[in-house]
Amino acid sequence: MAGKVFFSVSMSLDGFIAPESSEDLMGRQWMELQRWIFPLRFFRENLKLGVGGEEGRDNDIARETFLRTGASVMGKRMFDAGEEMWPQEAPFHTPVFVVTHTKRDPWERPGGTTFHFVNDGIETALDQAREAAGDRDVRISGGGATILEYVNAGLVDEFSIALAPVLFGSGIRLFEGVDASRVALEPVRSEPSSRVTHLTYAVHPR
């Protein structure tokens, strides 16, 4: 049986998941938004930052999200930013399907990540990701515009938000432009930690 299609993001209290400009990634606000994940043991292991790190529910959730993911889909904007910032051994360790108009041969990285560039739309990218993932889940990694396309197309089964006590004021809103007339949400889980509140929702057609 095919797995679920999901996304999992960190979000500020005022609804933003990233700064407007990719040049501001790794800036102060973005670092504050992601601060919950940096000390985690799993994060340090996955990026080969050394031994040690924090255990606990935040760490469990980060590891569970990774383990459930058999393939990822992302937009060109996220790939372009990540290509500059990710280490040589990219942190996905699965096939990644990039929705783009750019034609490019697959890009294989050490550690099991191969980027495939899909030129004919989000549904084709998802079909290829499902096939690659087998019975594991497909993660829509981002960015915000790509996540929104999949939500509005009715192709997302579930999502999780790590709601951080941070205010952005401007940037990329997670649900800016959502077709609310077509999307209904069902609460699945709410788990507070010392740094964020983890919220999970099932997505249904309205």
Side-chain angles (χ1 to χ4, degrees):
M1 178 179 292
K4 293 180 179 179
V5 178
F6 79 103
F7 66 86
S8 179
V9 295
S10 299
M11 187 176 79
S12 69
L13 280 175
D14 51 348
F16 297 96
I17 60 171
E20 187 68 44
S21 171
S22 58
E23 295 176 359
D24 293 327
L25 288 174
M26 306 301 289
R28 179 183 60 81
Q29 282 184 312
W30 190 86
M31 295 292 284
E32 289 177 352
L33 180 67
Q34 304 293 347
R35 181 164 50 195
W36 71 276
I37 202 167
F38 295 139
L40 303 183
R41 182 183 185 92
F42 172 74
F43 179 82
R44 294 182 57 81
E45 288 174 351
N46 193 35
L47 270 74
K48 294 188 168 23
L49 299 177
V51 297
E54 295 181 6
E55 304 277 358
R57 188 59 186 139
D58 283 343
N59 189 67
D60 292 343
I61 288 172
R63 188 182 299 277
E64 289 163 6
T65 301
F66 174 83
L67 291 176
R68 70 182 285 191
T69 303
S72 294
V73 176
M74 70 178 58
K76 182 65 160 50
R77 183 178 187 269
M78 180 177 178
F79 173 78
D80 287 344
E83 188 175 15
E84 297 181 6
M85 294 188 300
W86 291 319
Q88 184 178 22
E89 188 171 315
F92 301 95
H93 308 290
T94 64
V96 178
F97 297 86
V98 182
V99 181
T100 177
H101 297 296
T102 302
K103 294 189 181 297
R104 179 171 170 178
D105 291 333
W107 187 42
E108 185 174 350
R109 309 303 295 148
T113 302
T114 299
F115 294 94
H116 302 270
F117 301 89
V118 182
N119 304 129
D120 46 358
I122 63 171
E123 293 194 16
T124 299
L126 181 56
D127 288 344
Q128 293 182 20
R130 283 188 186 276
E131 184 175 355
D135 58 359
R136 295 166 71 193
D137 296 338
V138 173
R139 181 177 183 178
I140 311 301
S141 296
T146 301
I147 288 172
L148 188 67
E149 282 191 82
Y150 279 98
V151 171
N152 282 342
L155 297 172
V156 172
D157 301 308
E158 183 180 284
F159 67 86
S160 296
I161 292 171
L163 188 64
V166 177
L167 297 173
F168 265 40
S170 64
I172 296 175
R173 284 190 186 275
L174 177 57
F175 294 114
E176 188 72 41
V178 70
D179 186 351
S181 68
R182 299 181 59 190
V183 179
L185 303 180
E186 175 190 352
V188 174
R189 190 167 51 252
S190 175
E191 298 183 69
S193 75
S194 61
R195 292 192 177 95
V196 294
T197 300
H198 299 279
L199 304 171
T200 301
Y201 298 88
V203 184
H204 305 292
R206 186 184 292 279

